[in-house]
Amino acid sequence: MEGMHDLAYFRGHFDQIAPRLATRANPPNLDQFRDLDGRRRAAITRTEELKKLRNEETAKIAQLKREGADTAAEQAKVRKIAQEIASLDEQANVLDEQFRDLLTGIPNVPHESVPVGKDSDDNVEVRRAGEPRRFDFEPKAHWDLGPQLGILDLERAAKISGARFALYWGLGARLERALVSFMLDTHTRHHGYTEVLPPFLVNSQSLFGTGQLPKFKDDLFKCEGHDLWLIPTAEVPVTNIFRDESLEADALPIKLCAYTPCFRSEAGSYGRDVRGIIRQHQFQKVELVKFTRPEDSYDELEKLTADAEDILVRLGLPYRTVVLSTGDTGFSSAKTYDIEVWLPGQDAYKEISSCSNFEAFQARRAGIRFKAGKKSEYVHTLNGSGLAVGRTWVAILENYQQKDGSVVVPEALRPYLGVEVIRGR
């Protein structure tokens, strides 16, 4: 019934919650919540009053019968009360359904540490690492470098599938594969994550659990004739591993990482990052997912963000980390850090990872609890890209390009790729 929110907490702290939700982009209509909640509670209160009255009248009828008196009038009154109760029950059920739908559309409440703002312009930088390289030549963007090296082919990809797809050749394909292996090895060997390989197709219930459905169905690809959707991120299948399960408190935190392809319709994003492979319908990603105790989740968010940043440190790529403002924070998230890598070919920092704490928002939707003794409560879920593989590929090409058009391979990747320099074929 509560969908993604603790209904009792939501009601009891409505005056504190409402101002925070109002700072989000497209804030929910909370007047509607208040009105619906009032009508629903009024119907329930009236039903309870009528049931009490019915019990009193029924006891009165029994007494009159013992006395041999006529009970026809009282019985008619009880029948009328019963009809009114049935009507109110039906009304409460309808209101419950409307309430469920309304709660489903209310986003997570931003954490108190999240800066208030309208959009990405109000995001706040929290740290910066690595100095952007100074070139003694005009650095190229990856959409020029890749084709010139013969490792990226966007024209043939468009022929095969349409816009926003990429075809990698030779060392371009091997670089993508090397990055996946390097990221998974780093997270499992050095950061303590367990690798999983989940399905790449999920059902509607899984997407509801993590918050993509019903609100964001236009961002997804659906398989016609099946209750199956292509995953937009490994967050969906990996978080749903424990859907409708109760975990042992001693097992927390659970730290999982997964490589998957990701599929997004990018509805509404046309015009943004149209060149190259920054914004694709299909891309590869290594995802980090955590299940934690509520009291530990914000410490774990800091650690998860540091684990994602460590990939960039090991690859020698300059980056900055920003905390998203309330107006830019995603629907399901309570707090998000974006890690942005420096791309010299575009003279800009571009997002390469979003690391979020969803608190109990997803766990409540997906029914993921943990037990500590006799007590059972919802876990907190967290996730972040560790990293987006294609964007890391782009960052390596643009940051490590040489004047002759070749690209030096970062030392950490050389054992995986088997070469020190990528040259044109």
Side-chain angles (χ1 to χ4, degrees):
M1 166 58 208
E2 295 174 15
M4 62 200 74
H5 293 285
D6 181 331
L7 189 51
Y9 184 86
F10 202 88
R11 281 183 180 136
H13 298 79
F14 186 82
D15 290 340
Q16 290 89 14
I17 290 170
R20 289 298 286 174
L21 284 173
T23 65
R24 278 187 164 275
N26 304 311
N29 182 350
L30 294 179
D31 289 339
Q32 192 180 355
F33 169 89
R34 203 190 294 266
D35 173 61
L36 202 55
D37 189 35
R39 285 161 54 204
R40 178 177 170 274
R41 284 198 280 182
I44 291 168
T45 301
R46 179 61 181 154
T47 300
E48 294 304 314
E49 289 171 354
L50 287 170
K51 284 178 179 175
K52 185 182 175 186
L53 182 60
R54 182 181 60 185
N55 291 342
E56 289 171 356
E57 289 297 325
T58 302
K60 194 172 172 184
I61 288 168
Q63 180 62 33
L64 287 169
K65 280 184 175 177
R66 282 195 295 272
E67 295 170 358
D70 181 13
T71 61
E74 284 73 14
Q75 286 182 341
K77 188 175 180 181
V78 167
R79 283 195 295 272
K80 189 177 177 185
I81 292 171
Q83 287 171 356
E84 194 176 346
I85 288 171
S87 174
L88 282 167
D89 279 343
E90 190 177 333
Q91 186 182 333
N93 287 336
V94 170
L95 289 168
D96 270 351
E97 195 59 44
Q98 292 175 359
F99 209 78
R100 253 184 231 110
D101 291 343
L102 182 62
L103 278 178
T104 297
I106 294 178
N108 205 348
V109 181
H111 187 258
E112 58 191 16
S113 65
V114 174
V116 173
K118 289 183 179 178
D119 51 33
S120 58
D121 291 340
D122 297 316
N123 295 346
V124 177
E125 184 176 314
V126 292
R127 58 186 160 269
R128 193 176 285 225
E131 280 295 318
R133 175 181 157 199
R134 294 186 180 182
F135 292 82
D136 56 6
F137 60 93
E138 186 68 30
K140 295 177 180 176
H142 68 280
W143 54 74
D144 291 324
L145 275 168
Q148 286 166 12
L149 286 166
I151 62 174
L152 178 66
D153 192 333
L154 298 175
E155 290 179 11
R156 285 192 175 99
K159 176 179 70 175
I160 297 165
S161 304
R164 295 186 186 253
F165 288 93
L167 170 66
Y168 299 90
W169 284 94
L171 281 172
R174 283 170 56 190
L175 176 58
E176 186 92 356
R177 178 159 53 94
L179 282 166
V180 171
S181 295
F182 165 69
M183 290 174 186
L184 289 172
D185 285 350
T186 301
H187 293 311
T188 55
R189 294 173 185 174
H190 302 287
H191 300 152
Y193 291 79
T194 298
E195 182 179 347
V196 295
L197 182 61
F200 304 156
L201 290 165
V202 294
N203 56 33
S204 297
Q205 196 175 349
S206 294
L207 286 157
F208 177 83
T210 43
Q212 282 80 11
L213 286 181
K215 194 173 176 69
F216 303 103
K217 66 178 180 181
D218 290 343
D219 295 332
L220 306 168
F221 288 110
K222 189 171 193 306
C223 299
E224 192 174 349
H226 301 273
D227 180 28
L228 287 171
W229 307 69
L230 292 168
I231 60 169
T233 162
E235 164 198 344
V236 180
V238 177
T239 304
N240 278 276
I241 288 172
F242 298 117
R243 189 175 78 219
D244 297 325
E245 292 187 30
S246 187
L247 307 170
E248 289 299 328
D250 292 346
L252 301 176
I254 294 172
K255 299 165 58 175
L256 306 177
C257 67
Y259 152 76
T260 67
C262 306
F263 305 89
R264 299 184 185 179
S265 73
E266 293 295 349
S269 72
Y270 292 95
R272 293 173 61 199
D273 299 314
V274 289
R275 297 197 72 182
I277 59 171
I278 292 293
R279 196 171 293 277
Q280 297 279 281
H281 288 311
Q282 176 192 318
F283 59 96
Q284 282 64 247
K285 190 150 64 85
V286 170
E287 189 77 359
L288 309 175
V289 176
K290 288 186 180 184
F291 304 84
T292 78
R293 293 171 179 257
E295 63 269 24
D296 299 333
S297 66
Y298 279 95
D299 286 342
E300 291 295 341
L301 174 62
E302 298 299 324
K303 291 175 186 174
L304 184 145
T305 306
D307 292 339
E309 290 171 341
D310 187 46
I311 298 294
L312 295 173
V313 172
R314 289 169 185 261
L315 293 174
L317 295 169
Y319 69 90
R320 66 176 197 153
T321 301
V322 301
V323 58
L324 301 195
S325 71
T326 53
D328 198 34
T329 300
F331 178 82
S332 301
S333 176
K335 184 174 184 177
T336 297
Y337 290 111
D338 269 8
I339 304 169
E340 300 175 345
V341 69
W342 175 252
L343 298 181
Q346 294 159 69
D347 195 33
Y349 284 98
K350 289 283 185 179
E351 178 207 328
I352 197 165
S353 173
S354 275
C355 300
S356 300
N357 185 356
F358 302 92
E359 296 185 357
F361 189 88
Q362 293 180 328
R364 188 171 282 109
R365 291 172 75 108
I368 309 171
R369 300 172 180 269
F370 73 97
K371 283 188 294 188
K374 292 182 179 179
K375 188 181 177 187
S376 175
E377 59 182 301
Y378 291 107
V379 299
H380 279 194
T381 62
L382 302 87
N383 68 53
S385 306
L387 301 162
V389 181
R391 294 188 181 193
T392 311
W393 190 99
V394 166
I396 288 170
L397 251 66
E398 294 195 4
N399 281 280
Y400 283 96
Q401 62 182 294
Q402 305 301 300
K403 196 169 188 175
D404 64 1
S406 65
V407 174
V408 172
V409 177
E411 278 190 39
L413 274 185
R414 291 175 189 175
Y416 293 89
L417 198 59
V419 299
E420 294 185 8
V421 182
I422 298 172
R423 304 183 190 280
R425 56 182 184 179

